[in-house]
Amino acid sequence: MSGTPPCGAEPPDAARELTPGDVHAWAEYHFRRTGHRRYARAVRDTVQWDPPLGIDPRTIEGRL
C-alpha cells in the first residue's frame, strides 16, 4: 500500500492459511526489501453464538 500509487503487494495466495504472525513476518520482509513503511490490511472473522440449552433460538428478539 505504501506510496502513491500503492505498490499492490500482497502476501502469497496461501494467505488464508497464514497466522497473524506469518502475515507480520511477510510484511516485515516486504518493508525491509522495498523501504515501504505502511501496509493496509483488512481482518475479518466469524463468530457463532449457540444459545444455552432450553432456549429456542426462534424466540430470541431480533432474530432474522
Side-chain angles (χ1 to χ4, degrees):
M1 131 120 204
S2 188
T4 305
C7 77
E10 294 184 11
D13 287 339
R16 292 181 200 94
E17 309 294 326
L18 299 179
T19 68
D22 293 335
V23 174
H24 179 79
W26 176 87
E28 184 174 343
Y29 167 78
H30 179 75
F31 297 153
R32 290 175 184 258
R33 191 178 56 120
T34 63
H36 295 164
R37 296 184 55 195
R38 291 182 291 158
Y39 183 73
R41 62 184 184 169
V43 178
R44 184 178 84 174
D45 68 354
T46 301
V47 177
Q48 178 174 327
W49 177 77
D50 293 317
L53 293 176
I55 301 291
D56 183 346
R58 295 173 295 183
T59 63
I60 298 173
E61 185 176 327
R63 182 178 181 277
L64 299 175

